[in-house]
Amino acid sequence: MSKRKAFNFYLSYFETAMMLNNTERLQFYDALMQKQFNGIEPIGLKGGVNFAWVSQKHSIDAQVEGWENKTKLSLRSEERRVGKECRSRWS
């Protein structure tokens, strides 16, 4: 599967993170990056970080799901294109 190279960083992520202290903000950003780039769901978030994550989870999950669906469609399209090329070469 293709590796994700970018994602939209919404203002709501920033505004939520700015309500946290520096340590919590870093934990929130790390959790966001792990989810967006590696698909890893954060475990064991506590206090303000957990509250921040839960408040943005729907948006984060929707972004990840949209990218995954788009990537799957692109892969299927590429597979069809390659299949047609192979069939036309051998026909």
Side-chain angles (χ1 to χ4, degrees), residues 5-62:
K5 295 181 176 114
F7 71 96
N8 291 324
F9 189 92
Y10 294 143
L11 178 60
S12 63
Y13 301 164
F14 176 71
E15 290 173 339
T16 299
M18 292 309 296
M19 291 185 228
L20 304 171
N21 66 41
N22 289 342
T23 302
E24 291 174 327
R25 187 177 313 123
L26 179 59
Q27 291 173 359
F28 176 73
Y29 285 153
D30 282 348
L32 177 61
M33 300 306 159
Q34 286 292 338
K35 178 66 175 178
Q36 291 284 0
F37 291 120
N38 299 319
I40 298 171
E41 190 75 32
I43 298 171
L45 298 178
K46 301 212 182 313
V49 180
N50 188 55
F51 184 79
W53 182 262
V54 169
S55 75
Q56 298 301 308
K57 185 168 176 28
H58 174 75
S59 179
I60 295 165
D61 287 346

